[in-house]
């Protein structure tokens, strides 16, 4: 009943989750080479990339961003997304937690090499930027008939 | 999309508890206090107003949401920073906060909760009985 008196996090599952991550890091051996454009896990904004036979879908989990302020460019197969999330709080506010990212961000990811930079679509909804890039025709799987 | 909803405190036992095996993400939050009360902001990308649940059970405030991500058929993950679409985080409220007057607002995947302070926190004289 005195839960509200504790000033520190006592979320058991959060701590177990952190322990699991640390154990994973410990037992996965010496780190191999990392991607030259990779970022620390937990970096804002998170990115997921999925591929189908005719398209590549990129999801940027960028909550609270003005989509007009986003700078998205695709140079050959290199997708870069830059933007800014302003810090917003009243001047007299006293912060207890400041976990949300504020400031400029930039993420660059390398897509499969067969993407077509001329056929790109981007939509922003509920804080998720969804970019769809079409893949070139010639690399789609083709059925081969045995004669 | 910018919706406002007023919330009522609820009785215990109707919390939609997800299966514990399902991975949930801990959304990052900002929490600050000013004269009016406490403000909580949480990043819940992909969570629309319909897929968001905010509940107060006694002194526990729980935020739960499920991100809706449209995915084409036959898609395979090439890379994933986020391994789940379910967000959940809970907080313990303190007694001077008016849990029944919390307001919530969602815009572009950011949830803003305003927890006002109780107005009737009047000073009270305490008599000491000698005997």
């Amino acid at each position: 009943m005195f839960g509200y008196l504790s000033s520190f996090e006592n979320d058991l599952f959060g701590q177990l989750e952190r322990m699991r991550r640390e154990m994973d890091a410990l037992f996965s051996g010496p780190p191999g080479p990392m991607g030259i454009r990779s970022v620390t896990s937990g970096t804002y904004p998170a990115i997921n990339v999925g591929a189908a036979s005719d398209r590549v879908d990129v999801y940027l989990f960028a909550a609270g961003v003005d989509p007009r302020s986003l700078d998205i460019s695709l140079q050959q197969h290199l997708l870069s997304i830059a933007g800014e999330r302003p810090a917003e709080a009243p001047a007299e506010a006293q912060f207890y937690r400041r976990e949300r990212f504020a400031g400029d961000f930039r993420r660059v990811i390398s897509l499969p090499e067969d993407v077509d930079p001329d056929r790109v679509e981007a939509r922003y909804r509920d804080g998720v930027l969804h970019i769809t890039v079409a893949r070139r025709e010639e690399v789609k799987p083709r059925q081969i008939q045995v004669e | 999309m910018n919706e406002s909803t007023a919330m009522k405190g609820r009785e215990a036992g109707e919390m939609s508890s997800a299966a514990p095996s399902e991975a949930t993400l801990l959304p990052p939050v900002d929490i600050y206090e000013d004269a009016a009360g406490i403000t909580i902001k949480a990043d819940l990308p992909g969570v629309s107003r319909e897929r968001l649940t905010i509940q107060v059970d006694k002194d526990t405030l729980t935020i739960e949401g499920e991100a809706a991500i449209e995915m084409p058929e036959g898609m395979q993950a090439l890379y994933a920073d986020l391994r789940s679409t379910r967000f959940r985080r809970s907080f313990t409220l303190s007694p001077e906060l008016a849990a029944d007057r919390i307001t919530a607002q969602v815009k572009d995947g950011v949830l803003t909760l305003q927890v006002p302070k109780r107005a009737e926190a009047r000073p009270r004289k305490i008599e000491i009985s000698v005997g």
Side-chain angles (χ1 to χ4, degrees):
Chain A
M1 89 179 268
F2 292 109
Y4 60 88
L5 290 179
S6 69
S7 316
F8 299 104
E9 197 162 18
N10 59 355
D11 171 14
L12 181 64
F13 291 102
Q15 287 177 31
L16 285 172
E17 170 60 20
R18 195 179 66 213
M19 189 171 86
R20 189 191 62 75
R21 277 203 307 271
E22 284 170 7
M23 295 292 260
D24 278 355
L26 198 65
F27 289 112
S28 58
M34 62 179 192
I36 197 82
R37 295 185 183 88
S38 69
V39 294
T40 317
S41 95
T43 301
Y44 179 91
I47 288 184
N48 282 10
V49 184
S53 58
D54 59 341
R55 60 195 264 193
V56 175
D57 288 87
V58 178
Y59 303 90
L60 190 83
F61 298 93
V65 165
D66 180 2
R68 283 162 297 182
S69 76
L70 288 169
D71 179 11
I72 309 164
S73 70
L74 182 61
Q75 194 180 17
Q76 290 176 20
H77 64 283
L78 215 54
L79 177 71
S80 64
I81 303 152
E84 191 197 359
R85 185 160 82 160
E88 38 183 49
E92 72 274 21
Q94 286 188 315
F95 272 88
Y96 299 116
R97 277 178 188 265
R98 222 169 206 167
E99 299 167 354
R100 296 172 64 241
F101 174 87
D104 294 336
F105 61 84
R106 180 181 190 83
R107 289 212 59 178
V108 179
I109 47 165
S110 164
L111 300 179
E113 301 207 2
D114 57 16
V115 294
D116 187 344
D118 297 326
R119 290 190 291 153
V120 189
E121 276 175 44
R123 294 173 294 284
Y124 184 80
R125 186 162 182 256
D126 292 335
V128 178
L129 176 71
H130 181 186
I131 302 171
T132 309
V133 192
R135 301 180 95 158
R136 290 200 183 87
E137 290 289 327
E138 62 263 35
V139 290
K140 282 187 196 167
R142 218 155 30 97
Q143 203 76 41
I144 294 157
Q145 298 292 334
V146 182
E147 295 181 17
Chain B
M1 202 143 66
N2 192 347
E3 321 259 5
S4 241
T5 16
M7 267 203 338
K8 292 257 183 324
R10 293 199 199 174
E11 292 304 311
E14 50 178 294
M15 191 75 218
S16 61
S17 50
S21 58
E22 204 170 348
T24 56
L25 302 166
L26 203 63
V29 294
D30 281 355
I31 301 179
Y32 58 83
E33 182 164 358
D34 55 22
I38 289 186
T39 304
I40 303 170
K41 284 187 174 221
D43 281 355
L44 303 163
V47 180
S48 60
R49 181 174 165 260
E50 298 74 39
R51 291 170 157 262
L52 183 64
T53 316
I54 305 154
Q55 291 200 349
V56 179
D57 176 9
K58 289 177 192 150
D59 62 346
T60 306
L61 168 69
T62 304
I63 301 168
E64 220 171 352
E66 171 105 42
I69 309 295
E70 56 166 292
M71 284 184 280
E73 233 173 278
M75 189 172 94
Q76 289 183 318
L78 286 186
Y79 175 82
D81 281 336
L82 288 194
R83 302 295 176 101
S84 171
T85 53
R86 185 174 278 279
F87 294 95
R88 187 189 160 95
R89 195 153 182 181
S90 52
F91 308 92
T92 312
L93 298 169
S94 65
E96 82 284 2
L97 298 170
D100 53 345
R101 289 195 286 122
I102 298 175
T103 55
Q105 213 175 71
V106 187
K107 187 174 188 280
D108 292 339
V110 179
L111 169 70
T112 307
L113 287 175
Q114 303 272 8
V115 189
K117 288 178 191 169
R118 286 191 199 284
E120 72 278 2
R122 289 183 224 113
R124 192 163 58 97
K125 191 162 182 196
I126 297 158
E127 300 290 342
I128 302 164
S129 56
V130 187

